[in-house]
Amino acid sequence: MHNAVLLNMIQHFGYLALFFALWLGIVGMPIPDEVIVMTAGLVTALGLLNPILAFLLTYLGVVSGLSVGYLLGNQLGAPVIDRLVRKKKTGKYLRQAQAMLNKFGHYALPISYFLPMVRHLVPYLVGISKMPYRNYVAYAYSTGFVWTLIYFIVGRIFGNHIDQIAQMVTRYGFFALAILCVSGFIVWRGVCNGTTDNTSY
């Protein structure tokens, strides 16, 4: 369902739909980030958008959206958390985000990218803790590139199963992501081997 809504947005607004759908994630866009990035991969596989431009706009949407959270936390401080706690279901994920920061320190930022919901809360917390912006960029932008690339490729390969994959990732986190990466690698090797066999004749 999410996939169909996003495809309709892309048909009307093209690349900008990918950017703003991810950028608005920080204020509660109802479409999961994973679905948006995978759909970006899908539409490039279908030839609807240029792969490089689609990836760049998707990546910029991811990192700029999360950077808004960092800046709000850095400038507004604790009142941001008070506002988040009032939202339904946010308290649970906020506790997870805080526990990750207590356990892993700055490394919680790259780890959080792979955990839905927590991904949006950790930037607020590191902003409140006054992490220097250059450190935030080093952790968040590099990890954001890898995260975006993984789901973009998954969307190109498994585009017909985006909603199901998003549900798996939400429920099983890292384990589902690991399975996806292994499956994608197997498919990629199969395609490469098939291409090699065809060119050998």
Side-chain angles (χ1 to χ4, degrees):
M1 182 177 179
H2 286 140
N3 189 25
V5 171
L6 188 56
L7 285 171
N8 186 54
M9 290 172 58
I10 292 171
Q11 288 176 350
H12 285 86
F13 303 107
Y15 300 100
L16 291 179
L18 297 173
F19 176 84
F20 283 108
L22 288 159
W23 189 81
L24 290 171
I26 200 69
V27 294
M29 183 73 177
I31 305 176
D33 294 347
E34 290 83 1
V35 170
I36 300 170
V37 178
M38 287 189 288
T39 301
L42 169 62
V43 295
T44 63
L46 296 174
L48 300 178
L49 295 179
N50 177 277
I52 295 176
L53 287 176
F55 176 80
L56 287 176
L57 266 294
T58 301
Y59 169 66
L60 290 174
V62 169
V63 295
S64 63
L66 295 179
S67 294
V68 170
Y70 167 84
L71 293 172
L72 288 174
N74 186 268
Q75 297 301 314
L76 301 180
V80 175
I81 295 301
D82 294 336
R83 188 177 181 85
L84 288 173
V85 169
R86 295 193 200 108
K87 293 184 177 182
K88 293 181 179 180
K89 300 182 180 179
T90 304
K92 166 188 167 184
Y93 296 108
L94 186 59
R95 289 191 292 272
Q96 290 181 9
Q98 188 61 65
M100 285 181 59
L101 277 169
N102 293 338
K103 184 173 183 179
F104 300 109
H106 292 173
Y107 293 109
L109 190 54
I111 294 171
S112 70
Y113 256 96
F114 300 93
L115 300 173
M117 291 298 295
V118 176
R119 168 172 59 249
H120 290 285
L121 296 173
V122 170
Y124 284 110
L125 296 176
V126 298
I128 290 171
S129 68
K130 302 301 180 183
M131 172 190 280
Y133 184 66
R134 63 180 180 276
N135 291 355
Y136 172 80
V137 168
Y139 286 112
Y141 286 29
S142 57
T143 308
F145 183 88
V146 174
W147 181 88
T148 305
L149 183 62
I150 289 172
Y151 281 103
F152 193 86
I153 293 173
V154 167
R156 285 181 62 89
I157 298 173
F158 303 110
N160 292 329
H161 307 285
I162 287 176
D163 284 331
Q164 295 92 324
I165 292 172
Q167 291 174 8
M168 284 176 53
V169 171
T170 300
R171 180 172 297 181
Y172 301 111
F174 285 109
F175 297 107
L177 183 64
I179 292 171
L180 286 173
C181 290
V182 171
S183 300
F185 178 74
I186 292 171
V187 172
W188 175 76
R189 286 297 299 270
V191 171
C192 290
N193 289 339
T195 303
T196 303
D197 293 340
N198 289 334
T199 57
S200 64
Y201 288 104

